[in-house]
Amino acid sequence: MRESVHAEVMMSFLVSEELSFRIPVELRYETCDPYAVRLTFHLPGDAPVTWAFGRELLIDGVGRPCGDGDVRVSPAEPDSLGDVLIRLQVGSDQALFRSSTAPLIAFLDRTDKLVPLGQEGAHGDFDAHLDEALDRILAEEQSAG
């Protein structure tokens, strides 16, 4: 059975130090992929963009800077849990979002009730999900080339 947790959170999309605007961002967690959360945002004039990254990265990033690669999560202020920064990067392109911590914690709490942290291996079929993702990536590459 496919179960999920969904939340819409208003986040600030930080274009520059002088320019930002608030947009709704969808957070989704599914038991079929119990290690990941998905963040989908709709920028004006563009198709929706979805990023998947580790649930544990989001959990840890609420309290301390986390992430080495394309996704980095950290408190906005070193000694405050008021806001969280989520930085998404592909090459030299990046998107920076600022969110209040409270709705992220509420979302993560609901995911933990569905699949407790550390119990992910008992849920979902990771191999089938990986095969499905690889098939989708290969199909996209073939259609683009």
Side-chain angles (χ1 to χ4, degrees):
M1 174 190 272
R2 179 179 230 173
E3 295 181 76
S4 65
V5 173
H6 172 269
E8 187 172 286
V9 176
M10 290 302 292
M11 294 187 186
S12 293
F13 175 56
L14 306 172
V15 179
S16 69
E17 287 186 29
E18 299 83 27
L19 179 63
S20 69
F21 53 94
R22 296 191 46 85
I23 61 171
V25 176
E26 176 187 346
L27 297 171
R28 180 171 290 283
Y29 177 80
E30 297 179 341
T31 57
C32 65
D33 188 7
Y35 293 98
V37 294
R38 284 174 174 65
L39 180 146
T40 300
F41 56 94
H42 306 261
L43 296 177
D46 286 337
V49 176
T50 299
W51 280 71
F53 53 93
R55 173 173 69 156
E56 196 165 345
L57 174 64
L58 186 58
I59 291 168
D60 291 345
V62 166
R64 64 180 174 82
C66 292
D68 294 328
D70 296 339
V71 179
R72 296 175 187 215
V73 182
S74 66
E77 303 294 328
D79 297 324
S80 170
L81 295 178
D83 286 344
V84 173
L85 296 174
I86 301 173
R87 182 182 315 272
L88 309 173
Q89 186 166 349
V90 175
S92 63
D93 294 331
Q94 74 175 6
L96 181 61
F97 296 90
R98 185 177 187 131
S99 172
S100 175
T101 303
L104 298 179
I105 291 174
F107 169 78
L108 290 167
D109 184 56
R110 291 173 50 216
T111 71
D112 191 61
K113 287 181 176 133
L114 187 61
V115 178
L117 193 62
Q119 300 297 313
E120 295 91 349
H123 295 270
D125 185 350
F126 185 73
D127 290 334
H129 183 72
L130 180 60
D131 289 341
E132 178 185 311
L134 290 173
D135 288 344
R136 190 172 47 246
I137 291 167
L138 291 172
E140 289 173 5
E141 286 179 356
Q142 290 174 349
S143 67

